[in-house]
Amino acid sequence: QVQLVESGGGSVQSGGSLRLSCAASGYTYSSYYMGWFRQFPGKEREGVAAIRRDGTTNYSDSVKGRFTISQDNAKKTLYLQMNSLKPEDTAVYYCAARIPASSSGGYLGAIMYNYWGQGTQVTVSS
């Protein structure tokens, strides 16, 4: 059973930084990709960043240049470094995985992912 466990959320002031981590377990596939999503109250989940097994990344325009997604394949851990945080980044952040990988693309689309973490709250105050 694939499990994704996020950590690292919390509260920070505008302009500050946080790093989210997502520990993955329960799979042996070498073909997969992973992503970070966020959800605002009353809204659909939106893709923030995604990373493929070979390290290729995708970012939403709203976070490009401020957030960095990375992975440690040996530790099966996904990271999201968030810098220059803004109050509008306040949301619940989710880690997600597509295992095995799909060749259909759409890496920032929630529908492409078949495993999800429980979410972690990020709050940015002005």
Side-chain angles (χ1 to χ4, degrees):
Q1 181 71 13
V2 177
Q3 286 193 318
L4 303 174
V5 180
E6 300 105 334
S7 60
S11 297
V12 65
Q13 289 194 324
S14 182
S17 298
L18 283 174
R19 188 175 85 153
L20 304 183
S21 299
C22 173
S25 62
Y27 65 95
T28 57
Y29 285 100
S30 60
S31 168
Y32 59 85
Y33 53 82
M34 301 186 75
W36 288 99
F37 290 76
R38 64 187 180 184
Q39 190 166 22
F40 305 110
K43 302 288 187 180
E44 298 285 323
R45 286 183 194 181
E46 65 174 39
V48 172
I51 188 166
R52 280 162 263 180
R53 186 72 171 81
D54 65 1
T56 305
T57 57
N58 299 85
Y59 294 94
S60 69
D61 289 342
S62 61
V63 307
K64 202 172 294 182
R66 300 188 298 123
F67 291 10
T68 303
I69 189 171
S70 61
Q71 61 189 352
D72 184 326
N73 292 328
K75 294 182 180 179
K76 290 185 177 178
T77 301
L78 181 71
Y79 302 100
L80 185 68
Q81 178 67 44
M82 304 185 293
N83 297 329
S84 302
L85 282 161
K86 305 175 182 179
E88 51 263 43
D89 294 317
T90 296
V92 178
Y93 283 72
Y94 295 89
C95 167
R98 174 61 186 246
I99 304 171
S102 165
S103 59
S104 301
Y107 300 103
L108 293 181
I111 197 171
M112 298 302 297
Y113 292 79
N114 53 356
Y115 295 102
W116 292 86
Q118 81 284 358
T120 185
Q121 176 71 43
V122 171
T123 302
V124 184
S125 59
S126 57

